[in-house]
Each structure stands twice: as structure tokens, then as C-alpha cells.
Amino acid sequence: MEDAQADLTPEQTEKLLQFQDLTGIEQMQRCRDILSGHEWNIEAAVQDTFNEQEGAPTVFHHPPPPPRQEERLPQVNLQPANQRIIMYPGRRPQGLFEWTYYLLTMPIRFVWSTFFDIVRAFVSFLRPDPRRFVTDPLGDVTNFISTFEGKFGQQHPVFYQGTYSQALNDAKKELRYLLVYLHSEEHQNTERFCRDVLCSDEFINFVNAQVLFWACNTTSPEGYRVSQALRENAYPFLAVIVLRDNRMSVVARIEGNITGTAELISRLEQVMADNEASLVAARAERAERSFNQSLRQEQDEAYLESLRADQEKERKKREEREREAELERQRRQEEEEREQQFLEREQKKSEIEQELPAEPAPSNPDSIRILLKIPSGSRIERRFLRNQSLKWLYYYVFCHKECPDDFQIVTNFPRRTLPCEPQDGEPDPPSFEEVGLGKSEMLFVHDNEA
């Protein structure tokens, strides 16, 4: 197990364990090989594993294989345990004349048969049998169906209109019996079998209700290779194939001169009864696997839903922490800006205090007494010269510790705002005398932020 997990990332290790839990495959190395073949796509790997067990096509698109002439047939178990082999003997001679004729012609028939086999082998050595090259298996099947209907009519069992491989896969997927019929036009019993047995109402009703029915002519490449795969000995030839022990197996072979429809149906029913337990077990196993898969899917969905809820909670917590951190950052930035503004303002006040002109003496005839009532209710007083600009009044109030930083100076009656705040790039405000202030004035400091 440690070797199988060597050199894997944590994500790949987690997928490996999940895949083993979902599929029930005990060999860890095999699980790793399957996931590697699917580029560590766990959904496609799990689906393909189940499809492989059920004979369904894969969902993962592997790189296209190199071109080949012929697709190989799926492997089936040709000799399972308790296989039924039913051989129907050919027609026996009746009466003294037929027996005499049969015995006299036996050597001739033996020599002719041997000679014909030798000639056929020699010809096949010089020119390979064209039936060995399968180019259109589906066309071979549809051509047989058309030829059969043209010769025997439309009344016949429903033929499976697909290749032999497709019929096997569908029978495995649907857990049904597959009845294979190999048609040989050269055999003397074929035409009678088709008319009397294959096209009988009793056989048609039985086949259409119980099994999938696939048939093909052995003169076509598709029919020939199926005959080689099933190893038929005589014609007409029927084979019953069904899923047994997780493998498609030939559970019965019926060959020879089949004449009785009722007897044939009876034998097929017996074969189906003998193998019904395998299908019941396969259905139960598939139902259990489907239930377990559904249960795991529900558990995975519940886990994912819980995971999404936890992730959403974590996301909201993270966003809340980020929001609080952003608010804290903004608060600190504002505090730093206010502190910086305060320091700059104090520095400016200190510089302005150094520039304030000296207060004139009370006896100076050009002095003017200004009494200021500040927002706190206190009063402050200072003298200025009449010809001095009102900016010095503004600077005096601005530098006073009890006065606000943003203010206006207004008169009481008539109420007006004095233009005392200096502006950069503009002339200084007017003087006390120019705005009409007397020897002694009472002014008010208005806080603009109040």
C-alpha cells in the first residue's frame, strides 16, 4: 500500500482512497493504475469501472488507438460448468431401399468429402478466405435480415439490429439471455428449420418475450468470425449466452436437425430455468451496488453541503475579520491624520505667535480695545492699532488655547461677519479702522463646527 502511494501529492492520495472506497477494489496498485489511465479524473474512473463490470461503453475518451483492420470480438466462456450440449441427429434412412442406397454411397461420399476438404484447404492457402476481413459488421447483420425477410417473409422473431459485440453488451447490461442463431445457406436442413421452426408463431412469441435474438449468415465476415468464436459443429446452430460469475458464458449449444418447435422451446426453457439463479444473483449484486452507490452519493452530497455551509461560515467570518481590520486601519489612519494635522496646526500657531505684533499701550491714541466672547462663555481682551489688518485679530483668536480652530468673528449689532481670515495669494484683510470699529468693541467668536 505504501508503494502504491509513493510519489503522490496529498490530493492524489485522497482521490486514490476515495476511488478504492467507491469501487471496492482491494489492490491499491490497480486503483492507482486505473486513476492514472484516467488522468486522475475520479468521476470518469469510477464510472468506467462500473461500466466495465456491466459491459457498457466507457465515458472517458482515451487517446485514439492506432488504426486496425478488425475489431476483436468480446471474450465469452465457451465451456462453463454445467453447460448443456444438445445435438440433434440428421435424418436416418427409412426402409430397405434407403439403407441399401445409404451404405452403397457411403464410400463415394467419404472420398468426395475428403477430396473437397483438400481442395478447399489448398485454395484457402493460395487465396485467404475473404470472410476473415471484417469491414462492416453491422452491414453484414442488416443484409442478412433483409435477405431473410425477402426469402421467408416478415413473420419472424425480432432480430437484434446490431453487431454481435453490441448484442453481448446489451444482454450483459440488461441481464437478459442472448440467443445466437448462425445461418448456413449451404446446409440441407437450414431452409426447413427457418420455415417450420424459426418463423412459427409459438417460437416467435417465446423469443420476443424472453430473450435477445441475434442472427447472421456464416457466409458474411461477421457471421463467419462468430461461428469461429463459438466453434459450431453442425447446423442449424443455436447458442444461449448469459451472464454467469460476472462473465458472459455459453450455457447451452443446440446443433443439428432441429425439427420440433415445442421440443426446442422446452429445452430453451429448461436451460433458462437452470441458469436463472445466476441472473437473480447478478440482479441482487447490481441492485446492492446501485444502492451503495446511491448511498455514497447521498453521503457525498450531504458532506459537500455541510462543507459548503462551513465554507460559507468561514467566508463570512473572514469577510468580517477583513472588514474589522479595514475599519481599524481606517481608524488608525484617521487618527494619524488628525495627529499630523494637530501637530501642523500647533506648529503653525507657534510660528504665528512669534509674528504677532506687540500689544499697544492703553494710552496710545491709535489703540483700539477688542473684547471677545468665546464659545465657552469666557471673555478675552486685547488691544490693537487702528491701522493694523484684521488678520492679526484672526491670528490672536486662532492661537488662543480656549478658542476653536475653525471659527468666525461677528459683531453683535448690526450682526455681520468680519472679513478677518487671510487667504493665500490674496491681499490682507482690511484694517480695524476700515471696517468701522470704534475705540472699544465687543465681538463674538462663532465656532463653525458647533
Side-chain angles (χ1 to χ4, degrees):
M1 179 174 177
E2 295 180 356
D3 294 339
Q5 297 184 17
D7 302 329
L8 294 182
T9 64
E11 181 181 1
Q12 290 176 335
T13 302
E14 182 179 358
K15 288 184 177 181
L16 183 63
L17 297 176
Q18 289 180 355
F19 178 79
Q20 185 184 38
D21 179 60
L22 290 172
T23 60
I25 300 176
E26 297 181 356
Q27 296 84 1
M28 186 66 72
Q29 185 61 43
R30 184 185 173 196
C31 294
R32 177 171 179 171
D33 293 341
I34 295 175
L35 281 171
S36 299
H38 289 78
E39 300 178 359
W40 293 93
N41 186 334
I42 187 171
E43 292 83 1
V46 171
Q47 187 63 47
D48 274 0
T49 301
F50 289 148
N51 288 350
E52 181 181 353
Q53 295 174 358
E54 299 175 0
T58 62
V59 298
F60 185 78
H61 299 288
H62 297 278
R68 56 185 180 181
Q69 273 190 333
E70 178 181 342
E71 180 184 0
R72 299 185 62 182
L73 291 177
Q75 295 293 324
V76 296
N77 188 2
L78 296 177
Q79 294 181 338
N82 301 325
Q83 182 188 55
R84 284 180 173 267
I85 301 178
I86 305 170
M87 299 293 296
Y88 282 86
R91 181 179 178 275
R92 293 183 178 182
Q94 303 291 330
L96 179 61
F97 176 77
E98 290 187 3
W99 272 107
T100 303
Y101 178 79
Y102 176 77
L103 293 175
L104 290 175
T105 58
M106 181 182 295
I108 299 175
R109 285 186 284 106
F110 175 76
V111 173
W112 173 254
S113 176
T114 304
F115 175 76
F116 182 76
D117 290 341
I118 294 174
V119 172
R120 184 169 56 182
F122 181 74
V123 172
S124 64
F125 177 77
L126 295 178
R127 187 182 67 179
D129 192 338
R131 295 180 300 175
R132 292 182 177 273
F133 304 102
V134 181
T135 57
D136 186 12
L138 181 59
D140 293 341
V141 175
T142 55
N143 288 337
F144 163 73
I145 296 174
S146 299
T147 303
F148 186 92
E149 291 178 345
K151 186 173 184 179
F152 300 103
Q154 299 285 336
Q155 184 176 351
H156 57 74
V158 176
F159 290 113
Y160 183 91
Q161 298 196 17
T163 65
Y164 173 71
S165 300
Q166 292 171 341
L168 276 177
N169 286 334
D170 280 355
K172 185 176 183 179
K173 182 179 179 181
E174 299 173 14
L175 293 177
R176 298 182 63 185
Y177 290 94
L178 174 63
L179 181 61
V180 175
Y181 166 61
L182 296 179
H183 182 86
S184 175
E185 295 178 346
E186 301 173 354
H187 201 276
Q188 59 184 356
N189 297 325
T190 296
E191 184 170 346
R192 184 172 66 252
F193 171 75
C194 291
R195 292 189 185 278
D196 299 341
V197 178
L198 210 60
C199 295
S200 64
D201 293 337
E202 188 178 2
F203 188 77
I204 292 173
N205 295 333
F206 171 79
V207 169
N208 292 345
Q210 301 291 333
V211 299
L212 290 178
F213 187 50
W214 184 87
C216 195
N217 197 329
T218 55
T219 59
S220 67
E222 175 72 353
Y224 175 75
R225 71 169 176 172
V226 174
S227 70
Q228 295 296 305
L230 297 181
R231 303 173 188 174
E232 89 295 351
N233 296 310
Y235 291 96
F237 175 84
L238 293 171
V240 181
I241 304 176
V242 72
L243 183 67
R244 179 194 282 186
D245 299 329
N246 292 325
R247 185 179 180 185
M248 296 301 285
S249 304
V250 180
V251 296
R253 304 162 63 92
I254 304 176
E255 306 176 66
N257 185 23
I258 307 171
T259 57
T261 304
E263 181 184 359
L264 175 59
I265 293 176
S266 176
R267 290 184 180 275
L268 291 175
E269 289 177 340
Q270 183 61 43
V271 171
M272 295 170 64
D274 293 342
N275 293 275
E276 188 64 25
S278 299
L279 284 184
V280 171
R283 293 189 184 102
E285 180 183 354
R286 188 170 296 181
E288 182 180 2
R289 184 165 60 245
S290 177
F291 173 77
N292 292 335
Q293 186 177 3
S294 300
L295 182 60
R296 290 193 186 96
Q297 184 177 359
E298 291 177 359
Q299 292 174 345
D300 291 343
E301 291 177 355
Y303 169 76
L304 292 176
E305 184 65 26
S306 176
L307 181 61
R308 284 193 290 268
D310 293 341
Q311 291 175 343
E312 181 66 17
K313 292 180 181 179
E314 182 62 27
R315 184 187 64 81
K316 291 182 178 180
K317 290 181 180 180
R318 183 174 63 255
E319 291 179 352
E320 181 64 21
R321 290 194 298 267
E322 292 175 354
R323 189 180 65 83
E324 293 178 355
E326 178 63 20
L327 291 177
E328 179 65 18
R329 186 190 65 79
Q330 293 178 358
R331 185 185 64 80
R332 290 181 180 180
Q333 183 178 358
E334 292 174 356
E335 289 182 355
E336 292 175 357
E337 291 176 354
R338 285 196 297 269
E339 182 177 358
Q340 182 65 25
Q341 292 174 358
F342 174 77
L343 293 176
E344 292 176 355
R345 191 165 51 249
E346 291 300 315
Q347 178 67 24
K348 184 177 181 180
K349 288 181 180 180
S350 176
E351 294 174 356
I352 290 176
E353 281 182 338
Q354 300 296 327
E355 297 177 2
L356 282 175
E359 186 176 4
S363 58
N364 190 326
D366 292 330
S367 67
I368 181 173
R369 174 175 173 269
I370 301 297
L371 184 64
L372 296 164
K373 187 175 182 181
I374 60 179
S376 63
S378 301
R379 297 183 180 184
I380 56 177
E381 178 182 345
R382 195 183 192 282
R383 292 184 300 277
F384 298 90
L385 296 176
R386 291 179 180 274
N387 59 356
Q388 288 179 336
S389 173
L390 287 175
K391 74 175 184 179
W392 299 115
L393 173 63
Y394 179 85
Y395 285 154
Y396 170 73
V397 176
F398 177 73
C399 295
H400 199 281
K401 295 181 179 181
E402 296 184 18
C403 293
D405 294 329
D406 187 10
F407 61 90
Q408 289 179 335
I409 299 177
V410 297
T411 60
N412 186 22
F413 185 82
R415 185 176 180 82
R416 60 176 176 148
T417 300
L418 296 179
C420 58
E421 181 178 4
Q423 303 292 333
D424 294 335
E426 296 184 7
D428 287 343
S431 65
F432 291 89
E433 186 176 12
E434 289 174 344
V435 296
L437 295 180
K439 183 70 175 178
S440 178
E441 292 287 346
M442 177 72 176
L443 303 175
F444 297 87
V445 178
H446 176 71
D447 188 354
N448 291 335
E449 296 179 356

